[in-house]
Amino acid sequence: MSKNSVLDRFSLQGKVILLTGGAGLYGRGLAADLAGAGATLIIASRNQANCQAVADEENARGGNATAIAYDQGSEASILALRDAVLERFGRVDGVVNNSVARPMGGDVPFVESWEASMRINATGLVLMHQHFGEAMKQQGAGSIVNIGSIYGMVGPHLEFYKGTPMPDPRPDYYFHKAGMVNVTRFYAGLYGAAGVRVNCLSPGGFQAGQPEAFLERYNEQTYLGRMGDEKDLGGAVIFLLSEAARYITGVNLPVDGGFTAK
């Protein structure tokens, strides 16, 4: 490949990328794709053991991955994560905000579970932008990619759940995923002049063993006739982190098989 090839702009070789929630539904596939694109990858979540297992797997494949524990519900933990990344690697070129908590439901009181969700998914998300964005501003470059959801763009399809054992959706997820879209725009505006880009991806549903009735109803709502899987999100994330997207900021990109276009 020529050194001037357009494909070189999609490479993450030499870039220090932080992926939060790197062992979950979206995160495991993203970790593999980011490592495969050449990133120096930091995988972070509350579960150090799970992150370490993912890092070990990617390193065994020839990647360069490190696991660090953090709690997005704690500003002190977010600051400690930032400082650990900068101390070890000297910079942070990209952050993929993929961590999410789903505390609502079950026997937990509504207000208590709502406030727990907001602390992690709203306040914590803003603090990730504030603290890592300031570090990128000092560098004069960086890219933040937020992993949102189509349910930050549309209302609930309650009919998908009828006759299945799946619980009805909870309001916190819709609230913070919709907020993520405009927080993306806010920080794109705040940090743009410093060369820091901020974008959002809004995935559609991902296969996770849902009941057949749910899958049939969901799939009918998409143009491509299926849910996403672990191979469907990484390409868009890599693009937005890379130099190929150097003039793109403040965007919300649905990755949903046409769900929101229908």
Side-chain angles (χ1 to χ4, degrees):
M1 185 188 301
S2 166
K3 289 185 179 179
N4 296 320
S5 168
V6 66
L7 296 180
D8 289 341
R9 292 182 227 155
F10 290 85
S11 173
L12 300 182
Q13 194 71 42
K15 290 187 178 291
V16 177
I17 306 295
L18 169 65
L19 169 65
T20 68
L25 178 62
Y26 299 154
R28 184 64 192 89
L30 289 177
D33 286 346
L34 292 170
T40 297
L41 182 63
I42 303 105
I43 305 166
S45 77
R46 285 179 292 182
N47 192 317
Q48 172 80 24
N50 286 351
C51 288
Q52 189 61 57
V54 172
D56 290 344
E57 289 176 7
E58 294 310 320
N59 290 336
R61 295 188 180 103
N64 182 3
T66 301
I68 302 178
Y70 93 114
D71 177 2
Q72 193 164 291
S74 162
E75 182 173 19
S77 184
I78 291 170
L79 286 167
L81 174 63
R82 181 203 62 187
D83 292 347
V85 171
L86 294 178
E87 180 178 354
R88 177 159 181 177
F89 300 99
R91 60 184 295 108
V92 56
D93 299 297
V95 173
V96 182
N97 283 313
N98 178 58
S99 282
V100 64
R102 306 292 290 274
M104 294 201 78
D107 298 327
V108 182
F110 184 92
V111 172
E112 180 181 329
S113 61
W114 171 271
E115 290 177 344
S117 179
M118 293 304 108
R119 185 176 66 254
I120 298 167
N121 299 316
T123 303
L125 176 74
V126 167
L127 291 174
M128 288 293 292
H129 284 78
Q130 197 71 28
H131 296 313
F132 281 92
E134 285 297 320
M136 291 177 174
K137 178 180 177 180
Q138 296 302 314
Q139 297 169 178
S143 175
I144 298 173
V145 178
N146 295 317
I147 305 301
S149 169
I150 55 170
Y151 290 129
M153 302 171 63
V154 301
H157 287 254
L158 298 176
E159 69 277 11
F160 290 174
Y161 299 83
K162 289 181 179 178
T164 77
M166 300 174 68
D168 286 342
R170 307 296 177 178
D172 61 325
Y173 192 72
Y174 291 74
F175 185 91
H176 66 73
K177 290 302 186 185
M180 181 181 277
V181 175
N182 236 21
V183 160
T184 294
R185 297 186 183 113
F186 176 84
Y187 282 102
L190 184 64
Y191 292 131
V196 179
R197 299 181 296 105
V198 186
N199 292 290
C200 184
L201 294 181
S202 289
F206 266 46
Q207 295 175 16
Q210 295 92 339
E212 190 61 33
F214 179 93
L215 289 173
E216 288 179 2
R217 295 164 188 162
Y218 185 94
N219 291 346
E220 288 176 358
Q221 184 62 34
T222 71
Y223 284 143
L224 296 183
R226 67 175 179 85
M227 273 193 159
D229 60 31
E230 69 278 359
K231 297 180 181 178
D232 290 324
L233 192 57
V237 173
I238 290 167
F239 167 61
L240 290 175
L241 289 170
S242 75
E243 292 304 308
R246 63 196 295 265
Y247 200 53
I248 298 175
T249 196
V251 163
N252 177 45
L253 174 63
V255 184
D256 63 358
F259 187 104
T260 54
K262 194 167 184 179

